[in-house]
Amino acid sequence: MSESKRRSNPAILTSVVVVASVAFLYATVLAKLGRDWWTDENYSHGLLVPFVIGFVIWQMKDAIVSRVDPAKWLGGATVIAALLMLIAGTLGAELFMQRISLVVMLAGVVIYFLGRKVLMLVAVPFALLLLAIPIPQIVFNRIAFPLQIWASQMAVWGIRLFEVPTLRKGNVIDILPKGSTQTISLEVVEACSGIRSLMTLVTLSLILAYFTRRGDGGGFANLSRSDLSRAIILMIAAVPIAVLTNAARVTGTGVMTYHWGKQATDGAWHDASGWVVYVVALTILIGLNALLKRFLNGSSSGTVSFDPPVASLRSASVIPLIAVLIVGGIAVNWFANRAEASIERKQLTNLPEKLGEWRQRGNEFKFNIEIEGLLKVSDYTMREYTLEDGRVGNIYVGYYESQRGGATYHSPQNCLPGAGWVMKDPQFVEIPRGDGTTFTANRYVIENGIYNEVMIYWYQGRGRTEASEYRDKVHTVLDSVTRRRSDGSMVRVMTSVGQDEAAAIKAATDLAAKLADVLPPYVPE
């Protein structure tokens, strides 16, 4: 056997053992991430990312080997930090933290065996992995909603250019087809707002910039300074490109709806238009990349050069790292499969028909299957209550038995504006309890056409009531760790402003107080 083969065998064995150990440690995380890539259209590009990463690393294998300079202490500290993040994310039922810890863990392993400069060299594969990790739902909603509104606004402007009468309420566009007496509503959801194509386009922007670089830059991320600048510009440009092309799609759908009715919004045309828009957006990116290459004609001389000592992979001690990964894997997988505490509760359908002076009117309201699938609630109720003077109040309670799987509350701040509601006069309001204590809730005055309502909402569960969804999320993590519970609910009360806003606020506060007092058997403390 040749000397080179004898040297390569331990390195190959080390690589296999380390990969297997990391896979064991992150088995549950990788399984959930794979399912999300398969089922979530926003991140379906993640299915291809591992193959692209593998190809990129294979291409630069010689550059990696020539720059090996292990940093055991820094790498070991990074590995420990990633392990602590994984444990906290597992105990706290926080998927995003678990997934980010995977990136940190891989960075630690690279530093441990190969060094910091190799980590900088392979920055593009790490960036691709980050772009394939689904962001938290709270952050996702904050990104998706403005894109929906912008796409709706631009689509309405485009539709009116074709002299088609239209009315926009939030991200809902109403069109009256030619010769018809009934309007058709086009809802600009995430799929049409650009958020789905955005994540893929940003990823493709980075891939496009990397594979069209001028040779091997040898610097940060193996890119020259001009190539790195081009990559950043392309990734930023992906945002307006995604929104503009999808607004054009909605414009075309709106114009066709005016001429041909509802059939323009269903079936093959709608699906085909999505692919066409995606191809157009990608073509624009390719064209922009060509222009940037022409104007940003820097050379590889503008790179940061590396000249570290060459070292062997065997210079880093493998056994301590493997031990940490395996022991951590046993502990984390045990915690991941640990059942949450079993809490007895009543179903919300049994909520009292009388809340103080309020009396239930009619039966419960139920959402359609699509909305229920979006909310992912374990149990919910929505119904109306009335007072003797005729005032009507609407309540909604959505209960989540567990938030470990990513199902969580949908804030009214994200949902209502998309349905055309304008939220005004945000305030905090103190809700009195029957025992003399109070809790803080959010209060808004909301408008939609002729409708003008007072809305109060809060988050309740595990003996806590919170106005802030972010503070409630922190408490959910803490309670999951210390009490093995992540259950809870979002509670909302609404009533018409009518002629007296002060009276409406007083009535909404009273209904909220009476509802909060009866909730503990249904939303356990």
Side-chain angles (χ1 to χ4, degrees):
M1 183 181 292
S2 66
E3 182 67 22
S4 62
K5 287 184 178 181
R6 283 197 299 268
R7 289 181 177 179
S8 66
N9 287 339
I12 294 173
L13 180 60
T14 297
S15 300
V16 171
V17 173
V18 170
V19 169
S21 301
V22 172
F24 172 68
L25 177 61
Y26 285 90
T28 302
V29 176
L30 291 171
K32 290 180 180 178
L33 183 59
R35 283 197 298 270
D36 281 352
W37 286 346
W38 186 261
T39 59
D40 188 349
E41 294 183 27
N42 302 300
Y43 289 92
S44 57
H45 63 276
L47 294 169
L48 298 177
V49 164
F51 299 99
V52 177
I53 289 175
F55 181 70
V56 170
I57 292 176
W58 177 259
Q59 274 197 326
M60 63 172 66
K61 61 183 184 299
D62 293 336
I64 291 173
V65 171
S66 67
R67 290 167 174 81
V68 171
D69 185 19
K72 290 190 292 184
W73 288 108
L74 178 60
T78 306
V79 167
I80 296 298
L83 185 59
L84 293 175
M85 289 176 62
L86 178 60
I87 292 173
T90 301
L91 291 174
E94 180 50 60
L95 290 176
F96 185 70
M97 183 179 291
Q98 296 174 43
R99 291 164 175 174
I100 290 298
S101 77
L102 171 62
V103 181
V104 178
M105 175 62 72
L106 293 176
V109 170
V110 169
I111 295 172
Y112 190 88
F113 286 109
L114 306 176
R116 291 173 294 175
K117 293 174 182 177
V118 170
L119 179 65
M120 289 190 288
L121 190 66
V122 295
V124 167
F126 275 93
L128 292 174
L129 181 57
L130 282 171
L131 290 172
I133 293 177
I135 58 180
Q137 191 66 38
I138 292 175
V139 178
F140 178 86
N141 291 337
R142 295 291 184 183
I143 297 173
F145 178 67
L147 290 177
Q148 291 173 341
I149 296 300
W150 293 340
S152 300
Q153 291 171 339
M154 288 184 284
V156 167
W157 178 80
I159 291 171
R160 288 174 178 169
L161 285 179
F162 293 89
E163 299 183 349
V164 174
T166 184
L167 176 66
R168 182 182 68 85
K169 294 180 292 184
N171 67 331
V172 178
I173 301 173
D174 291 331
I175 296 175
L176 181 64
K178 186 186 297 183
S180 176
T181 59
Q182 185 175 1
T183 61
I184 294 177
S185 296
L186 305 179
E187 185 176 1
V188 184
V189 295
E190 287 93 342
C192 298
S193 67
I195 185 62
R196 287 184 178 169
S197 60
L198 172 61
M199 303 310 299
T200 303
L201 284 176
V202 171
T203 303
L204 286 176
S205 298
L206 179 57
I207 294 173
L208 180 64
Y210 182 81
F211 284 108
T212 58
R213 68 192 187 283
R214 292 178 174 84
D216 290 334
F220 179 78
N222 205 28
L223 296 170
S224 67
R225 288 177 180 171
S226 62
D227 288 331
L228 182 59
S229 299
R230 179 163 52 87
I232 294 172
I233 294 172
L234 281 176
M235 293 170 71
I236 295 174
V239 178
I241 290 173
V243 176
L244 285 170
T245 52
N246 279 275
R249 177 192 183 189
V250 178
T251 298
T253 302
V255 173
M256 294 182 68
T257 299
Y258 175 71
H259 290 285
W260 291 289
K262 190 171 179 59
Q263 61 184 0
T265 66
D266 299 324
W269 152 251
H270 190 266
D271 294 336
S273 65
W275 283 103
V276 169
V277 164
Y278 180 75
V279 171
V280 170
L282 184 57
T283 302
I284 294 173
L285 267 181
I286 293 173
L288 178 60
N289 181 58
L291 287 174
L292 290 174
K293 285 194 70 175
R294 179 181 295 271
F295 290 104
L296 297 176
N297 57 351
S299 65
S300 59
S301 60
T303 64
V304 180
S305 61
F306 294 127
D307 191 23
V310 177
S312 169
L313 289 177
R314 291 176 295 174
S315 64
S317 179
V318 177
I319 294 178
L321 181 64
I322 299 300
V324 168
L325 294 177
I326 292 176
V327 172
I330 293 172
V332 168
N333 281 283
W334 181 82
F335 281 124
N337 293 299
R338 183 184 65 158
E340 291 196 73
S342 178
I343 307 296
E344 292 186 5
R345 57 175 291 272
K346 294 182 179 180
Q347 293 293 305
L348 286 167
T349 189
N350 297 319
L351 203 67
E353 296 182 2
K354 181 180 179 181
L355 299 175
E357 299 300 320
W358 297 83
R359 300 291 188 277
Q360 184 176 336
R361 183 177 77 171
N363 298 320
E364 287 184 301
F365 300 102
K366 290 297 180 181
F367 297 116
N368 59 39
I369 295 177
E370 288 78 11
I371 294 179
E372 288 184 349
L374 178 66
L375 292 175
K376 298 179 181 178
V377 287
S378 305
D379 185 19
Y380 76 94
T381 187
M382 184 167 61
R383 56 180 75 179
E384 290 181 342
Y385 286 83
T386 63
L387 290 174
E388 289 185 357
D389 63 4
R391 176 172 291 280
V392 178
N394 177 279
I395 71 163
Y396 167 78
V397 183
Y399 176 77
Y400 293 81
E401 191 172 59
S402 171
Q403 297 182 67
R404 274 193 179 183
T408 189
Y409 317 123
H410 284 247
S411 169
Q413 295 185 50
N414 297 324
C415 300
L416 291 180
W421 291 91
V422 177
M423 303 180 67
K424 303 191 307 181
D425 190 26
Q427 301 282 341
F428 291 116
V429 59
E430 293 299 315
I431 308 296
R433 294 183 182 274
D435 61 5
T437 61
T438 64
F439 67 89
T440 304
N442 301 286
R443 193 204 77 198
Y444 283 85
V445 175
I446 60 175
E447 296 178 354
N448 188 348
I450 63 173
Y451 300 102
N452 194 11
E453 308 268 333
V454 171
M455 178 183 69
I456 295 175
Y457 75 93
W458 67 95
Y459 304 95
Q460 182 168 333
R462 308 179 308 281
R464 305 179 188 273
T465 51
E466 295 285 357
S468 168
E469 60 186 305
Y470 300 101
R471 191 160 53 244
D472 179 78
K473 185 62 177 175
V474 171
H475 285 143
T476 299
V477 172
L478 293 175
D479 288 342
S480 181
V481 173
T482 60
R483 302 169 61 187
R484 293 195 299 132
R485 291 180 59 185
S486 62
D487 57 303
S489 65
M490 195 281 286
V491 187
R492 188 204 71 208
V493 171
M494 292 172 59
T495 189
S496 175
V497 170
Q499 302 299 317
D500 190 340
E501 183 175 309
I505 293 173
K506 182 179 179 180
T509 303
D510 178 64
L511 179 56
K514 299 300 188 296
L515 177 59
D517 280 341
V518 303
L519 277 181
Y522 309 89
V523 182
E525 296 186 355

